[in-house]
Amino acid sequence: MDQEFGPATVDTPPRRVAAMGIGDGDNLLALGVVPVAFATFSQSDPDRLTNEWNVEAMGDATPTILPRTSTDFGSEIPKTLATDPDLIVAVGAEPTRDQYDALSKAAPTILRQSQYPAWLVPWDAAVRQVGTALGLPELAQQKIDETNTFLAGVRADNPEFAGKKAVVVIYDGTAVSV
């Protein structure tokens, strides 16, 4: 798999997957995999495991929470490695080469594909990449197709959205950068 810092190989289906990137846990859950470590969207509530849309998929699982992967990735590495992962997914993160090297010594580590800048991986590319790493490329494509069908329905039901642009801003109350 072509990615930042070189290819990664996953030889056997992973059983213990750590989600170190923002959004990576969502993609894993959509593909039926509950992560052993989960990067959260918000630092303001570090005990909050996940967002409402993932509660059902999480079930009774209690993965290790990684609230600072977007601001202090290195501090979350020891917690992640303590979960004994056999795959680490950090597509939605920006680790340094040294951090990647430390992670990949413990388990295959999936980063963003090299053609995408950090934090700007299209959602469908991320789903496809994670699905491939899990050995579930067909399921990943099915989820992408389902989402595209849903979005086509939203567009059909809301023609006033045509040509419009939007932005989503997530503010956790801790910092603002411009």
Side-chain angles (χ1 to χ4, degrees):
M1 182 175 306
D2 179 38
Q3 63 177 18
E4 186 74 7
F5 304 138
T9 303
V10 180
D11 293 322
T12 58
R15 294 174 295 105
R16 299 180 57 77
V17 183
M20 288 195 77
I22 301 302
D24 293 339
D26 298 316
N27 290 334
L28 289 166
L29 288 167
L31 296 169
V33 175
V34 178
V36 295
F38 197 104
T40 59
F41 278 95
S42 173
Q43 294 179 30
S44 62
D45 187 0
D47 296 324
R48 183 176 177 175
L49 176 59
T50 189
N51 293 297
E52 291 77 19
W53 57 83
N54 284 331
V55 171
E56 186 177 329
M58 286 294 248
D60 294 332
T62 55
T64 297
I65 302 169
L66 308 173
R68 292 182 304 277
T69 59
S70 63
T71 59
D72 187 10
F73 189 87
S75 70
E76 303 294 17
I77 291 174
K79 290 182 354 187
T80 300
L81 295 180
T83 67
D84 192 30
D86 52 17
L87 177 65
I88 300 166
V89 178
V91 173
E94 189 178 10
T96 66
R97 177 63 192 230
D98 289 341
Q99 292 167 338
Y100 169 76
D101 289 345
L103 291 168
S104 63
K105 285 179 186 171
T109 302
I110 306 304
L111 302 179
R112 65 184 161 82
Q113 293 175 328
S114 55
Q115 74 257 37
Y116 300 116
W119 310 111
L120 296 176
V121 178
W123 70 270
D124 53 340
V127 171
R128 195 172 288 110
Q129 186 177 8
V130 171
T132 299
L134 294 171
L136 302 170
E138 296 86 10
L139 179 59
Q141 189 59 53
Q142 176 187 335
K143 295 296 180 179
I144 291 167
D145 293 344
E146 288 171 4
T147 302
N148 282 328
T149 298
F150 171 79
L151 293 174
V154 171
R155 283 190 295 276
D157 292 344
N158 299 279
E160 68 274 16
F161 292 166
K164 304 285 193 245
K165 294 184 180 186
V167 65
V168 175
V169 177
I170 299 173
Y171 174 66
D172 67 7
T174 60
V176 174
S177 11
V178 179

